[in-house]
């Protein structure tokens, strides 16, 4: 959609009847888009809905219009809609972070973001009524406040998403990612984010995760990651010397619990 308001008029609804309102989003840039879905209801015969306490309603209430003779003349439902574009990624090779169990590894992970314009600013989409149906009541336009947001510098937010809560509980405390640098190729327009990733597994495992990056302009990029913990090194070798046939031989050794 193009950040404008459109009105569908002349739709009749019977009592308790349902109305489906499809909303389509076809982004051509990596910027968030905003729209407003407005449902405006009036009685077909033009009469007001009776409402006992209509005089006590807040005069600033934008969702209803009071009739001159009391009651409700019209009702509005206003639903803001945010369209967030997501980059179409081909099948990507996961970034593999591999480490022995009970060890710690630190890796540099680079992720390219296509479609970003570095140095650009983000202004939330302006709501206007340039394409309002001529038969729509004019006061509806006044009830959708025309706002302009303040521009902000281009920033990025990121998080690791896990396939399940079980994998999240295993990895969340073992993985740490920090954005340490970002680079911009002026010719291609690609922004590359560089993360410092630490992985400190306590036991062998092989788990997947997805790095999700979102820009203040609304664009979203997703990158697969794979965390592999191999078998740990052998702590020690225990030798038991035989003292004779059919005789037991014993050796003592201590076990230390890492969890206390």
């Amino acid at each position: 959609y193009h950040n404008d308001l459109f009105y569908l008029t002349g739709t009749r609804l019977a009592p308790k009847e349902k109305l489906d309102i499809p909303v389509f989003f076809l982004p051509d840039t990596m910027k968030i888009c905003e729209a407003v879905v407005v449902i405006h209801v009036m009685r077909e015969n033009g009469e007001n809905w009776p409402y006992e306490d209509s005089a006590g309603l807040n005069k600033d209430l934008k969702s209803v219009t009071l009739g001159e003779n009391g009651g409700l003349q019209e009702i509005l439902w206003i639903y803001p809609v945010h369209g967030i574009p997501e980059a179409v990624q081909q099948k990507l090779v996961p970034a593999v972070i591999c480490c022995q169990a009970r060890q710690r590894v630190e890796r540099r992970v680079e992720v390219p973001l296509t479609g970003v314009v570095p140095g650009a600013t983000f202004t939330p989409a302006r709501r206007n009524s340039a394409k309002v149906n001529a038969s729509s009541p004019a006061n509806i336009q006044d009830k959708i406040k025309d706002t302009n947001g303040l521009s902000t510098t281009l920033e990025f937010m990121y998080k690791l998403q896990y396939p399940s809560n079980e994998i999240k509980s295993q990895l969340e405390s073992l993985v740490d990612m920090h954005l340490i640098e970002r680079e911009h190729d002026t010719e291609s327009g690609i922004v590359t984010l560089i993360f410092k990733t630490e992985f400190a597994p306590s036991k062998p495992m092989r788990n997947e995760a997805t790095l999700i990056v979102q820009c203040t302009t609304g664009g979203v990029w997703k990158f697969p990651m794979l965390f592999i913990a191999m078998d740990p090194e052998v702590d020690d070798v225990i030798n038991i010397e035989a003292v004779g046939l059919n005789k037991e031989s014993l050796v003592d050794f201590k076990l230390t619990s890492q969890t206390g």
Side-chain angles (χ1 to χ4, degrees):
Y1 40 74
H2 300 283
N3 309 321
D4 297 320
L5 297 181
F6 297 85
Y7 289 87
L8 175 65
T9 61
T11 303
R12 299 174 60 184
L13 287 178
K16 297 185 179 181
E17 185 179 355
K18 295 182 179 180
L19 174 64
D20 293 328
I21 303 177
V23 177
F24 297 94
F25 179 44
L26 300 173
D28 54 4
T29 60
M30 292 296 288
K31 288 187 177 182
I32 191 172
C33 295
E34 294 183 354
V36 178
V37 177
V38 180
I39 295 95
H40 169 230
V41 178
M42 297 180 66
R43 297 183 75 171
E44 189 175 18
N45 58 13
E47 297 180 359
N48 298 337
W49 282 285
Y51 189 77
E52 296 179 359
D53 193 27
S54 59
L57 287 175
N58 189 338
K59 294 182 179 180
D60 295 331
L61 190 63
K62 303 296 184 181
S63 59
V64 297
T65 300
L66 301 180
E68 296 179 358
N69 300 324
L72 305 181
Q73 182 180 4
E74 61 183 25
I75 302 175
L76 292 180
W77 285 270
I78 303 171
Y79 299 95
V81 179
H82 288 187
I84 301 177
E86 182 176 324
V88 178
Q89 303 278 11
Q90 301 296 331
K91 190 172 182 180
L92 299 177
V93 177
V96 180
I97 310 296
C98 188
C99 179
Q100 273 191 313
R102 298 196 306 231
Q103 300 292 327
R104 175 183 293 271
V105 69
E106 192 175 292
R107 291 288 184 267
R108 177 186 172 102
V109 177
E110 299 183 3
V111 295
L113 309 181
T114 57
V116 182
V117 182
T121 57
F122 166 52
T123 303
R126 177 175 178 171
R127 300 168 184 166
N128 58 68
S129 52
K131 298 184 180 180
V132 174
N133 190 298
S135 61
S136 302
N139 61 350
I140 293 182
Q141 303 174 32
D142 300 331
K143 293 181 181 184
I144 312 300
K145 188 177 181 181
D146 186 12
T147 59
N148 271 327
L150 297 176
S151 297
T152 59
T153 57
L154 202 63
E155 296 294 342
F156 297 94
M157 297 173 290
Y158 58 91
K159 68 176 181 179
L160 277 177
Q161 187 179 73
Y162 305 95
S164 66
N165 289 332
E166 181 181 358
I167 294 178
K168 180 179 180 180
S169 64
Q170 293 179 18
L171 276 181
E172 196 170 31
S173 61
L174 307 178
V175 178
D176 191 21
M177 294 192 70
H178 290 290
L179 178 61
I180 58 174
E181 190 179 347
R182 60 180 179 180
E183 300 174 350
H184 167 222
D185 188 329
T186 55
E187 294 185 2
S188 65
I190 296 177
V191 174
T192 301
L193 301 185
I194 302 172
F195 293 88
K196 184 179 76 171
T197 305
E198 296 181 5
F199 182 37
S202 57
K203 60 182 179 180
M205 64 175 66
R206 183 187 179 92
N207 287 323
E208 298 177 349
T210 301
L211 174 62
I212 299 179
V213 179
Q214 182 170 0
C215 183
T216 49
T217 59
V220 174
W221 296 261
K222 296 182 178 181
F223 301 92
M225 300 194 69
L226 179 60
F227 295 91
I228 301 175
M230 300 176 296
D231 292 334
E233 294 182 357
V234 175
D235 292 323
D236 201 355
V237 177
I238 300 172
N239 295 316
I240 304 177
E241 295 183 3
V243 295
L245 292 175
N246 298 320
K247 293 183 180 181
E248 293 183 353
S249 184
L250 303 177
V251 65
D252 293 331
F253 57 91
K254 295 181 179 180
L255 296 177
T256 303
S257 173
Q258 294 184 352
T259 59

